[in-house]
């Protein structure tokens, strides 16, 4: 496994474990089916669900590897749907405790 792939895989497991510890049901590689709106072919690495709260979680090696234009467009679509949020996590993020999307109401 390439170093970048290993970093992303490790971060996915870290994020999954953190959300599960907070009572979320987490789907890895959820695909389009559990999302009730069109993501235009974009597939997040994780979907965390708890009650009416749904987090589509995108994991990248670093912020430089994320297409910000694409994510901004996608976030606009996600924001149109109550209870749905888009979260970007990078493998070079320092700490998950208090990270956006976890502690926000």
């Amino acid at each position: 496994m390439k170093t970048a792939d290993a970093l992303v895989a490790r971060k996915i497991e870290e994020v999954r474990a953190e959300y599960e510890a907070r009572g979320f049901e987490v789907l890895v590689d959820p695909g389009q089916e559990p999302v009730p709106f069109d993501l235009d072919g974009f597939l997040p690495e994780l979907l965390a669900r708890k009650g009416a709260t749904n987090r589509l979680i995108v994991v990248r090696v670093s912020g430089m590897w994320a297409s910000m234009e694409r994510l901004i467009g996608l976030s606009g679509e996600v924001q149109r749907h109550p209870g749905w949020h888009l979260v970007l996590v990078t493998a070079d993020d320092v700490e998950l405790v208090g990270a956006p999307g976890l502690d926000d109401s």
Side-chain angles (χ1 to χ4, degrees):
M1 183 180 288
K2 296 178 185 175
T3 303
D5 292 340
L7 286 171
V8 168
R10 192 173 319 128
K11 185 56 78 169
I12 288 170
E13 280 306 305
E14 216 178 287
V15 172
R16 182 198 55 75
E18 182 67 28
Y19 274 91
E20 286 178 346
R22 292 176 182 257
F24 283 81
E25 171 193 9
V26 180
L27 302 175
V28 178
D29 294 325
Q32 177 65 52
E33 187 176 322
V35 182
F37 50 90
D38 186 18
L39 295 175
D40 193 29
F42 188 87
L43 299 175
E45 281 68 38
L46 300 166
L47 169 58
R49 302 187 290 200
K50 182 178 178 182
T53 300
N54 300 278
R55 306 251 192 258
L56 296 168
I57 304 166
V58 178
V59 181
R60 297 292 182 262
V61 174
S62 75
M64 294 185 336
W65 286 86
S67 169
M68 289 303 155
E69 185 176 309
R70 176 84 163 120
L71 290 175
I72 289 169
L74 184 60
S75 71
E77 176 60 29
V78 172
Q79 287 176 349
R80 287 193 259 294
H81 303 276
W84 286 84
H85 307 276
L86 181 67
V87 178
L88 171 63
V89 177
T90 62
D92 56 6
D93 285 347
V94 177
E95 182 69 35
L96 282 177
V97 176
L102 278 177
D103 294 330
D104 297 350
S105 58

